[in-house]
Amino acid sequence: MNDPKAAPGPVPPGNQLPMPPEALMKLPDVLRLTAFSRTTFYELVKLGVAPKPVHVGASAFWRYGEVLAFLRRDPAEMGEALRAARMAQGRATREA
């Protein structure tokens, strides 16, 4: 039997209600959801792999639906994009 109190969709950390795809999230919430460091996440944004922020005034937000779509991407693709960018910059990479 369906529980009427159960959330119908993904539930962000620390929240009891699902967020609509167009909901805006601040960076700390995005980092908690993705488990990336701030530096790595911004590298992925710069490479076009992660979603770009939406600016409202001086604040940056990310659309929840875009973050979820990003998380559904192939992790190997993200890792390869980071390795290629770091090698192009002459930075060393850690081998897994």
Coordinates of all heavy atoms in Angstrom, one line a residue:
M1 N 0.8 -1.2 0.0 CA 0.0 0.0 0.0 C 0.9 1.2 0.0 O 1.9 1.3 0.6 CB -0.9 0.0 1.2 CG -1.9 1.2 1.2 SD -2.8 1.4 2.7 CE -4.1 0.2 2.5
N2 N 0.5 2.3 -0.7 CA 1.3 3.5 -0.8 C 1.1 4.3 0.5 O 0.0 4.5 1.0 CB 0.8 4.4 -2.0 CG 1.2 3.7 -3.3 OD1 2.1 2.9 -3.3 ND2 0.6 4.1 -4.4
D3 N 2.2 4.8 1.0 CA 2.2 5.7 2.1 C 1.9 7.1 1.7 O 2.8 7.7 0.9 CB 3.5 5.6 2.9 CG 3.6 6.4 4.1 OD1 2.6 7.1 4.4 OD2 4.6 6.4 4.8
P4 N 0.8 7.8 2.0 CA 0.6 9.1 1.6 C 1.6 10.2 2.1 O 1.7 11.2 1.5 CB -0.8 9.4 2.1 CG -1.1 8.5 3.2 CD -0.2 7.3 2.9
K5 N 2.3 9.8 3.1 CA 3.3 10.7 3.7 C 4.7 10.6 3.0 O 5.6 11.4 3.2 CB 3.5 10.5 5.2 CG 2.3 10.9 6.0 CD 2.5 10.7 7.4 CE 1.2 11.0 8.2 NZ 1.4 10.7 9.6
A6 N 4.8 9.5 2.2 CA 6.1 9.2 1.6 C 6.3 10.2 0.4 O 5.4 10.6 -0.3 CB 6.1 7.8 1.0
A7 N 7.6 10.6 0.3 CA 7.9 11.6 -0.8 C 7.9 10.9 -2.1 O 8.4 9.8 -2.3 CB 9.3 12.1 -0.5
P8 N 7.2 11.6 -3.1 CA 7.1 11.0 -4.4 C 8.4 11.0 -5.3 O 8.5 10.4 -6.3 CB 6.0 11.8 -5.1 CG 6.1 13.1 -4.4 CD 6.5 12.8 -3.0
G9 N 9.4 11.8 -4.9 CA 10.6 11.9 -5.7 C 11.8 12.0 -4.8 O 11.7 11.7 -3.6
P10 N 12.9 12.4 -5.4 CA 14.2 12.5 -4.7 C 14.0 13.5 -3.5 O 13.4 14.5 -3.7 CB 15.2 12.9 -5.7 CG 14.6 12.8 -7.0 CD 13.1 12.7 -6.8
V11 N 14.6 13.2 -2.4 CA 14.6 14.1 -1.3 C 16.0 14.6 -1.0 O 16.9 13.8 -0.8 CB 14.1 13.3 0.0 CG1 14.0 14.2 1.2 CG2 12.7 12.8 -0.3
P12 N 16.2 15.9 -1.0 CA 17.5 16.5 -0.7 C 17.9 16.2 0.7 O 17.0 16.1 1.6 CB 17.3 17.9 -1.1 CG 15.9 18.2 -1.0 CD 15.2 16.9 -1.3
P13 N 19.2 16.3 1.0 CA 19.6 16.0 2.4 C 19.0 17.1 3.4 O 18.9 18.2 3.0 CB 21.1 16.2 2.4 CG 21.5 16.2 0.9 CD 20.3 16.5 0.1
G14 N 18.5 16.6 4.5 CA 18.0 17.5 5.5 C 16.7 18.1 5.2 O 16.2 19.0 5.9
N15 N 16.0 17.6 4.2 CA 14.7 18.1 3.9 C 13.7 17.0 3.9 O 14.0 15.9 3.5 CB 14.7 18.8 2.5 CG 13.6 19.7 2.2 OD1 12.5 19.6 2.8 ND2 13.8 20.5 1.3
Q16 N 12.5 17.2 4.3 CA 11.4 16.2 4.4 C 10.6 16.2 3.1 O 9.9 15.2 2.9 CB 10.6 16.4 5.6 CG 11.3 16.3 6.9 CD 12.0 15.0 7.0 OE1 11.5 13.9 6.8 NE2 13.3 15.0 7.4
L17 N 10.6 17.2 2.3 CA 9.8 17.3 1.1 C 10.6 17.2 -0.1 O 11.7 17.8 -0.2 CB 8.9 18.6 1.1 CG 8.0 18.7 2.3 CD1 7.4 20.1 2.2 CD2 6.9 17.7 2.3
P18 N 10.1 16.6 -1.2 CA 10.9 16.6 -2.5 C 10.9 18.0 -3.1 O 10.0 18.8 -2.8 CB 10.2 15.6 -3.4 CG 8.8 15.6 -2.8 CD 8.9 15.9 -1.3
M19 N 12.0 18.2 -3.8 CA 12.1 19.6 -4.4 C 11.7 19.4 -5.9 O 12.0 18.5 -6.5 CB 13.6 20.1 -4.3 CG 14.0 20.4 -2.9 SD 15.7 20.7 -2.7 CE 15.9 22.1 -3.8
P20 N 11.0 20.4 -6.4 CA 10.7 20.4 -7.8 C 12.0 20.7 -8.6 O 12.9 21.3 -8.1 CB 9.7 21.6 -8.0 CG 9.9 22.5 -6.8 CD 10.4 21.6 -5.7
P21 N 12.0 20.2 -9.9 CA 13.3 20.3 -10.7 C 13.7 21.8 -10.8 O 14.9 22.0 -10.9 CB 12.9 19.8 -12.0 CG 11.7 18.9 -11.8 CD 11.0 19.5 -10.6
E22 N 12.8 22.7 -10.8 CA 13.2 24.1 -11.0 C 13.6 24.8 -9.7 O 14.1 26.0 -9.7 CB 12.1 24.9 -11.6 CG 10.8 25.1 -10.8 CD 9.9 23.9 -10.9 OE1 10.2 22.9 -11.6 OE2 8.8 24.0 -10.3
A23 N 13.6 24.1 -8.6 CA 14.0 24.7 -7.3 C 15.5 25.1 -7.3 O 16.3 24.4 -8.0 CB 13.8 23.7 -6.2
L24 N 15.8 26.1 -6.6 CA 17.2 26.6 -6.6 C 17.9 26.2 -5.4 O 17.3 26.2 -4.3 CB 17.2 28.1 -6.8 CG 16.6 28.7 -8.0 CD1 16.6 30.2 -8.0 CD2 17.4 28.2 -9.3
M25 N 19.2 25.7 -5.5 CA 20.0 25.3 -4.4 C 21.2 26.1 -4.3 O 21.8 26.5 -5.3 CB 20.4 23.8 -4.6 CG 19.3 22.8 -4.9 SD 20.0 21.2 -5.4 CE 20.9 20.7 -3.9
K26 N 21.7 26.4 -3.0 CA 22.9 27.0 -2.8 C 24.1 26.0 -2.9 O 23.9 24.8 -2.8 CB 22.9 27.7 -1.4 CG 21.9 28.8 -1.2 CD 22.3 30.1 -2.0 CE 23.4 30.8 -1.3 NZ 23.9 32.0 -1.9
L27 N 25.3 26.5 -3.1 CA 26.4 25.7 -3.2 C 26.6 24.6 -2.1 O 26.9 23.5 -2.5 CB 27.7 26.5 -3.4 CG 29.0 25.7 -3.7 CD1 28.9 24.9 -5.0 CD2 30.2 26.6 -3.8
P28 N 26.5 25.0 -0.9 CA 26.7 24.0 0.2 C 25.8 22.8 0.0 O 26.2 21.6 0.2 CB 26.4 24.7 1.5 CG 26.8 26.1 1.2 CD 26.3 26.3 -0.3
D29 N 24.5 23.0 -0.4 CA 23.6 21.9 -0.6 C 24.0 21.1 -1.9 O 23.8 19.9 -1.8 CB 22.2 22.5 -0.8 CG 21.7 23.2 0.4 OD1 22.0 22.7 1.5 OD2 21.0 24.3 0.3
V30 N 24.5 21.7 -2.9 CA 24.9 21.0 -4.1 C 26.1 20.1 -3.8 O 26.1 19.0 -4.1 CB 25.3 22.0 -5.2 CG1 25.9 21.3 -6.4 CG2 24.1 22.8 -5.7
L31 N 27.0 20.7 -3.0 CA 28.2 19.9 -2.6 C 27.9 18.7 -1.7 O 28.4 17.6 -1.9 CB 29.2 20.8 -1.9 CG 29.8 21.9 -2.8 CD1 30.8 22.8 -2.0 CD2 30.4 21.4 -4.1
R32 N 26.9 18.9 -0.8 CA 26.4 17.8 0.0 C 25.8 16.7 -0.9 O 26.0 15.5 -0.6 CB 25.4 18.3 1.0 CG 25.6 17.9 2.4 CD 24.7 18.4 3.5 NE 23.9 19.5 3.2 CZ 24.2 20.8 3.4 NH1 25.3 21.1 4.0 NH2 23.4 21.8 3.2
L33 N 25.0 17.1 -1.9 CA 24.3 16.2 -2.7 C 25.3 15.4 -3.7 O 25.2 14.2 -3.9 CB 23.3 16.9 -3.5 CG 22.2 16.1 -4.2 CD1 21.4 15.3 -3.2 CD2 21.3 17.0 -5.0
T34 N 26.3 16.1 -4.2 CA 27.2 15.6 -5.1 C 28.4 14.9 -4.5 O 29.1 14.0 -5.1 CB 27.8 16.6 -6.1 OG1 28.5 17.6 -5.4 CG2 26.6 17.3 -6.9
A35 N 28.8 15.3 -3.3 CA 30.0 14.8 -2.6 C 31.3 15.2 -3.2 O 32.3 14.6 -3.0 CB 29.9 13.3 -2.4
F36 N 31.3 16.2 -4.1 CA 32.5 16.8 -4.6 C 33.0 17.9 -3.7 O 32.2 18.6 -3.0 CB 32.2 17.4 -6.0 CG 32.1 16.4 -7.1 CD1 30.9 16.2 -7.8 CD2 33.2 15.6 -7.5 CE1 30.8 15.3 -8.8 CE2 33.1 14.7 -8.5 CZ 31.8 14.5 -9.2
S37 N 34.3 18.2 -3.8 CA 34.8 19.4 -3.1 C 34.4 20.6 -3.9 O 34.1 20.5 -5.1 CB 36.3 19.3 -3.0 OG 36.9 19.5 -4.3
R38 N 34.5 21.7 -3.3 CA 34.2 23.0 -3.9 C 35.0 23.2 -5.2 O 34.6 23.5 -6.3 CB 34.3 24.1 -2.9 CG 34.1 25.5 -3.5 CD 34.5 26.5 -2.4 NE 34.2 27.9 -2.9 CZ 33.1 28.6 -2.6 NH1 32.2 28.1 -1.8 NH2 33.0 29.8 -3.1
T39 N 36.3 22.9 -5.0 CA 37.3 23.1 -6.1 C 37.0 22.2 -7.3 O 36.9 22.6 -8.5 CB 38.7 22.9 -5.6 OG1 39.0 23.8 -4.6 CG2 39.7 23.1 -6.8
T40 N 36.8 20.9 -7.0 CA 36.5 20.0 -8.1 C 35.2 20.3 -8.8 O 35.1 20.2 -10.0 CB 36.4 18.5 -7.5 OG1 37.7 18.2 -7.0 CG2 36.1 17.5 -8.6
F41 N 34.1 20.7 -8.0 CA 32.8 21.0 -8.6 C 33.0 22.2 -9.5 O 32.5 22.2 -10.6 CB 31.8 21.2 -7.5 CG 30.4 21.5 -8.1 CD1 29.7 20.4 -8.6 CD2 29.9 22.7 -8.2 CE1 28.5 20.6 -9.2 CE2 28.6 22.9 -8.8 CZ 27.9 21.9 -9.3
Y42 N 33.7 23.2 -9.1 CA 33.9 24.4 -10.0 C 34.7 24.0 -11.2 O 34.5 24.6 -12.3 CB 34.5 25.6 -9.2 CG 33.4 26.4 -8.6 CD1 33.3 26.6 -7.2 CD2 32.5 27.1 -9.3 CE1 32.4 27.4 -6.6 CE2 31.5 27.9 -8.8 CZ 31.4 28.0 -7.4 OH 30.5 28.8 -6.8
E43 N 35.6 23.1 -11.1 CA 36.4 22.7 -12.3 C 35.4 22.0 -13.3 O 35.5 22.2 -14.5 CB 37.5 21.6 -11.9 CG 38.8 22.2 -11.4 CD 39.8 21.2 -11.2 OE1 39.8 20.5 -10.2 OE2 40.6 21.0 -12.2
L44 N 34.5 21.2 -12.8 CA 33.6 20.5 -13.6 C 32.6 21.5 -14.3 O 32.2 21.4 -15.4 CB 32.8 19.4 -12.8 CG 33.6 18.2 -12.4 CD1 32.8 17.4 -11.4 CD2 34.0 17.4 -13.6
V45 N 32.2 22.6 -13.5 CA 31.4 23.6 -14.1 C 32.2 24.3 -15.2 O 31.6 24.5 -16.3 CB 31.0 24.7 -13.0 CG1 30.3 25.9 -13.7 CG2 30.0 24.0 -12.0
K46 N 33.4 24.7 -15.0 CA 34.2 25.3 -16.0 C 34.4 24.5 -17.3 O 34.4 25.0 -18.4 CB 35.6 25.7 -15.4 CG 36.5 26.4 -16.3 CD 37.8 26.8 -15.6 CE 38.8 27.5 -16.5 NZ 40.1 27.8 -15.9
L47 N 34.5 23.2 -17.1 CA 34.7 22.2 -18.2 C 33.3 22.0 -18.9 O 33.3 21.4 -20.0 CB 35.2 20.9 -17.7 CG 36.6 20.9 -17.2 CD1 37.0 19.6 -16.5 CD2 37.6 21.2 -18.3
G48 N 32.2 22.5 -18.4 CA 30.9 22.2 -19.0 C 30.3 20.9 -18.7 O 29.3 20.5 -19.3
V49 N 30.9 20.2 -17.7 CA 30.4 18.9 -17.3 C 29.3 19.0 -16.3 O 28.3 18.4 -16.3 CB 31.5 18.0 -16.8 CG1 31.0 16.6 -16.3 CG2 32.6 17.8 -17.9
A50 N 29.5 19.9 -15.3 CA 28.5 20.2 -14.3 C 27.7 21.4 -14.7 O 28.2 22.2 -15.5 CB 29.2 20.5 -12.9
P51 N 26.5 21.5 -14.2 CA 25.6 22.7 -14.6 C 26.2 24.0 -14.1 O 26.8 24.0 -13.0 CB 24.3 22.4 -13.9 CG 24.6 21.4 -12.8 CD 25.8 20.6 -13.2
K52 N 25.9 25.0 -14.9 CA 26.4 26.4 -14.5 C 25.4 27.0 -13.5 O 24.2 26.6 -13.5 CB 26.4 27.2 -15.7 CG 27.6 26.8 -16.6 CD 27.7 27.8 -17.8 CE 28.9 27.3 -18.6 NZ 29.3 28.2 -19.6
P53 N 25.8 27.9 -12.6 CA 24.9 28.5 -11.7 C 24.0 29.5 -12.3 O 24.3 30.0 -13.4 CB 25.9 29.1 -10.7 CG 27.1 29.4 -11.5 CD 27.2 28.3 -12.5
V54 N 22.9 29.8 -11.7 CA 22.0 30.8 -12.0 C 22.3 31.9 -11.0 O 22.3 31.7 -9.8 CB 20.5 30.4 -11.9 CG1 19.6 31.5 -12.1 CG2 20.3 29.2 -12.8
H55 N 22.5 33.1 -11.5 CA 22.8 34.2 -10.6 C 21.6 35.1 -10.3 O 20.9 35.5 -11.3 CB 24.0 35.1 -11.1 CG 25.3 34.4 -11.2 ND1 26.1 34.2 -10.1 CD2 25.9 33.7 -12.2 CE1 27.1 33.5 -10.5 NE2 27.0 33.2 -11.7
V56 N 21.3 35.3 -9.0 CA 20.2 36.1 -8.6 C 20.8 37.2 -7.7 O 21.3 36.9 -6.6 CB 19.1 35.3 -7.8 CG1 18.0 36.3 -7.4 CG2 18.6 34.2 -8.7
G57 N 21.0 38.4 -8.3 CA 21.7 39.4 -7.6 C 23.2 39.0 -7.5 O 23.8 38.6 -8.5
A58 N 23.7 39.0 -6.3 CA 25.1 38.6 -6.1 C 25.2 37.1 -5.7 O 26.3 36.6 -5.5 CB 25.8 39.5 -5.1
S59 N 24.1 36.4 -5.6 CA 24.1 35.1 -5.2 C 24.1 34.1 -6.3 O 23.5 34.3 -7.3 CB 22.9 34.8 -4.2 OG 23.0 35.6 -3.1
A60 N 24.7 32.9 -6.2 CA 24.7 31.9 -7.2 C 23.9 30.7 -6.7 O 23.9 30.3 -5.5 CB 26.1 31.4 -7.4
F61 N 23.0 30.2 -7.5 CA 22.2 29.0 -7.2 C 22.3 28.0 -8.4 O 22.6 28.4 -9.5 CB 20.7 29.5 -7.1 CG 20.4 30.4 -6.0 CD1 20.5 31.8 -6.2 CD2 20.1 30.0 -4.8 CE1 20.3 32.7 -5.2 CE2 19.8 30.9 -3.7 CZ 19.9 32.2 -4.0
W62 N 21.9 26.8 -8.1 CA 21.9 25.7 -9.1 C 20.5 25.1 -9.1 O 19.9 25.0 -8.0 CB 22.9 24.6 -8.8 CG 24.3 25.0 -9.2 CD1 24.9 24.6 -10.3 CD2 25.2 25.8 -8.5 NE1 26.2 25.1 -10.4 CE2 26.4 25.9 -9.2 CE3 25.1 26.5 -7.2 CZ2 27.5 26.6 -8.8 CZ3 26.2 27.2 -6.8 CH2 27.4 27.3 -7.6
R63 N 20.0 24.8 -10.3 CA 18.7 24.2 -10.4 C 18.8 22.7 -10.0 O 19.6 22.0 -10.5 CB 18.1 24.3 -11.8 CG 17.7 25.7 -12.2 CD 17.1 25.7 -13.6 NE 16.8 27.1 -14.0 CZ 17.7 27.9 -14.6 NH1 18.9 27.5 -15.0 NH2 17.3 29.2 -14.9
Y64 N 17.9 22.3 -9.1 CA 17.9 21.0 -8.6 C 17.8 19.9 -9.7 O 18.5 19.0 -9.7 CB 16.7 20.8 -7.6 CG 16.6 19.5 -6.9 CD1 17.6 19.0 -6.1 CD2 15.4 18.7 -7.1 CE1 17.5 17.8 -5.5 CE2 15.3 17.5 -6.5 CZ 16.3 17.0 -5.7 OH 16.2 15.8 -5.0
G65 N 16.9 20.1 -10.6 CA 16.8 19.2 -11.8 C 18.1 19.0 -12.6 O 18.4 17.9 -13.0
E66 N 18.8 20.1 -12.8 CA 20.1 20.1 -13.5 C 21.1 19.3 -12.7 O 22.0 18.6 -13.2 CB 20.5 21.5 -13.9 CG 19.7 22.2 -14.9 CD 20.1 23.6 -15.2 OE1 21.2 24.0 -14.7 OE2 19.4 24.2 -16.0
V67 N 21.1 19.5 -11.4 CA 22.1 18.8 -10.5 C 21.8 17.3 -10.5 O 22.7 16.5 -10.7 CB 22.1 19.4 -9.1 CG1 22.9 18.5 -8.1 CG2 22.5 20.8 -9.1
L68 N 20.5 16.9 -10.5 CA 20.2 15.5 -10.5 C 20.6 14.9 -11.9 O 21.1 13.8 -11.9 CB 18.7 15.3 -10.3 CG 18.2 15.6 -8.9 CD1 16.7 15.3 -8.8 CD2 18.9 14.7 -7.9
A69 N 20.3 15.7 -13.0 CA 20.7 15.2 -14.3 C 22.3 15.0 -14.4 O 22.8 14.0 -14.9 CB 20.3 16.1 -15.4
F70 N 23.0 15.9 -13.8 CA 24.5 15.8 -13.7 C 24.9 14.6 -13.0 O 25.8 13.8 -13.4 CB 25.0 17.1 -13.0 CG 26.4 17.0 -12.5 CD1 27.5 16.9 -13.4 CD2 26.7 17.0 -11.2 CE1 28.8 16.8 -12.9 CE2 27.9 16.9 -10.7 CZ 29.0 16.8 -11.6
L71 N 24.2 14.3 -11.9 CA 24.6 13.1 -11.1 C 24.3 11.8 -11.8 O 24.9 10.7 -11.5 CB 23.8 13.1 -9.7 CG 24.3 14.2 -8.8 CD1 23.4 14.2 -7.5 CD2 25.8 13.9 -8.4
R72 N 23.4 11.8 -12.8 CA 23.1 10.6 -13.5 C 24.1 10.3 -14.7 O 24.1 9.3 -15.3 CB 21.7 10.7 -14.1 CG 20.6 10.7 -13.1 CD 19.2 10.7 -13.8 NE 18.2 10.9 -12.7 CZ 17.5 12.0 -12.6 NH1 17.6 13.0 -13.4 NH2 16.6 12.1 -11.6
R73 N 25.0 11.3 -14.9 CA 26.0 11.1 -15.9 C 27.0 10.0 -15.5 O 27.2 9.7 -14.4 CB 26.7 12.4 -16.2 CG 25.8 13.5 -16.8 CD 26.6 14.7 -17.1 NE 27.4 14.5 -18.3 CZ 28.0 15.5 -18.9 NH1 27.8 16.8 -18.5 NH2 28.7 15.3 -20.0
D74 N 27.7 9.5 -16.5 CA 28.7 8.5 -16.3 C 29.9 9.1 -15.5 O 30.5 10.0 -15.9 CB 29.2 8.0 -17.6 CG 30.2 6.9 -17.5 OD1 30.5 6.4 -16.4 OD2 30.8 6.5 -18.6
P75 N 30.2 8.5 -14.3 CA 31.3 9.0 -13.5 C 32.7 9.0 -14.2 O 33.5 9.8 -14.0 CB 31.3 8.1 -12.3 CG 30.0 7.5 -12.2 CD 29.5 7.4 -13.6
A76 N 32.8 8.0 -15.1 CA 34.1 7.9 -15.9 C 34.2 9.1 -16.8 O 35.3 9.6 -17.0 CB 34.1 6.6 -16.7
E77 N 33.1 9.6 -17.3 CA 33.2 10.8 -18.2 C 33.7 12.0 -17.4 O 34.5 12.8 -17.9 CB 31.8 11.0 -18.8 CG 31.7 12.3 -19.6 CD 30.2 12.6 -20.0 OE1 29.4 11.7 -19.9 OE2 30.0 13.7 -20.5
M78 N 33.2 12.1 -16.2 CA 33.6 13.3 -15.4 C 35.1 13.2 -15.0 O 35.8 14.1 -15.1 CB 32.8 13.3 -14.1 CG 31.3 13.7 -14.3 SD 30.5 13.7 -12.7 CE 29.2 12.6 -13.0
G79 N 35.5 11.9 -14.6 CA 36.9 11.7 -14.3 C 37.8 12.0 -15.5 O 38.9 12.6 -15.3
E80 N 37.4 11.5 -16.6 CA 38.2 11.7 -17.8 C 38.3 13.2 -18.2 O 39.4 13.7 -18.6 CB 37.6 10.9 -19.0 CG 38.5 10.9 -20.2 CD 39.9 10.5 -20.0 OE1 40.1 9.5 -19.2 OE2 40.9 11.1 -20.5
A81 N 37.2 14.0 -18.1 CA 37.2 15.4 -18.3 C 38.2 16.1 -17.4 O 39.0 17.0 -17.8 CB 35.8 16.0 -18.2
L82 N 38.2 15.7 -16.1 CA 39.1 16.4 -15.1 C 40.5 16.0 -15.4 O 41.4 16.9 -15.4 CB 38.7 15.9 -13.7 CG 37.5 16.6 -13.0 CD1 37.2 15.9 -11.7 CD2 37.9 18.1 -12.8
R83 N 40.8 14.8 -15.7 CA 42.2 14.3 -16.0 C 42.7 15.1 -17.2 O 43.8 15.6 -17.2 CB 42.3 12.8 -16.2 CG 42.4 12.0 -15.0 CD 42.7 10.6 -15.2 NE 41.6 9.9 -15.9 CZ 40.5 9.5 -15.2 NH1 40.4 9.7 -13.9 NH2 39.5 8.8 -15.8
A84 N 41.9 15.2 -18.3 CA 42.3 15.9 -19.5 C 42.6 17.3 -19.2 O 43.6 17.9 -19.7 CB 41.3 15.7 -20.6
A85 N 41.7 18.0 -18.5 CA 41.9 19.4 -18.2 C 43.2 19.6 -17.3 O 43.9 20.6 -17.6 CB 40.7 20.0 -17.5
R86 N 43.4 18.8 -16.3 CA 44.5 18.9 -15.5 C 45.8 18.7 -16.2 O 46.8 19.3 -16.0 CB 44.4 18.0 -14.2 CG 43.3 18.5 -13.3 CD 43.0 17.6 -12.2 NE 42.0 18.1 -11.3 CZ 41.4 17.4 -10.3 NH1 41.8 16.1 -10.1 NH2 40.5 18.0 -9.5
M87 N 45.8 17.7 -17.1 CA 47.0 17.4 -17.9 C 47.3 18.6 -18.8 O 48.5 18.9 -19.0 CB 46.9 16.1 -18.7 CG 46.9 14.9 -17.7 SD 46.9 13.4 -18.6 CE 48.5 13.3 -19.3
A88 N 46.3 19.2 -19.4 CA 46.5 20.3 -20.3 C 47.1 21.5 -19.5 O 47.8 22.3 -20.1 CB 45.1 20.7 -21.0
Q89 N 46.7 21.6 -18.3 CA 47.3 22.7 -17.4 C 48.6 22.3 -16.8 O 49.2 23.1 -16.2 CB 46.3 23.0 -16.3 CG 45.0 23.6 -16.7 CD 44.0 23.7 -15.6 OE1 44.2 23.2 -14.5 NE2 42.9 24.3 -15.8
G90 N 49.1 21.1 -17.1 CA 50.4 20.7 -16.5 C 50.3 20.3 -15.1 O 51.3 20.2 -14.4
R91 N 49.1 20.1 -14.6 CA 48.9 19.7 -13.1 C 49.0 18.2 -13.0 O 48.4 17.5 -13.9 CB 47.6 20.2 -12.6 CG 47.6 21.7 -12.5 CD 46.3 22.3 -12.1 NE 45.6 21.6 -11.1 CZ 44.3 21.7 -10.8 NH1 43.6 22.6 -11.6 NH2 43.7 21.1 -9.9
A92 N 49.5 17.7 -12.0 CA 49.6 16.3 -11.7 C 48.2 15.8 -11.3 O 47.4 16.5 -10.7 CB 50.6 16.0 -10.6
T93 N 47.9 14.5 -11.6 CA 46.6 13.9 -11.2 C 46.9 12.7 -10.3 O 47.9 12.1 -10.5 CB 45.8 13.5 -12.4 OG1 46.5 12.6 -13.1 CG2 45.4 14.7 -13.3
R94 N 46.0 12.5 -9.4 CA 46.1 11.3 -8.6 C 45.5 10.1 -9.3 O 44.4 10.2 -9.9 CB 45.3 11.4 -7.3 CG 46.1 12.3 -6.3 CD 45.3 12.2 -5.0 NE 44.5 13.4 -5.0 CZ 43.5 13.6 -4.1 NH1 43.2 12.7 -3.3 NH2 42.8 14.7 -4.2
E95 N 46.2 9.0 -9.4 CA 45.6 7.8 -10.0 C 44.8 7.1 -9.0 O 45.2 6.9 -7.8 CB 46.8 6.9 -10.5 CG 47.5 7.6 -11.6 CD 46.7 7.9 -12.9 OE1 45.8 7.0 -13.2 OE2 46.9 8.9 -13.5
A96 N 43.7 6.6 -9.4 CA 42.8 5.8 -8.5 C 43.2 4.4 -8.4 O 43.9 3.8 -9.2 CB 41.4 5.9 -9.0

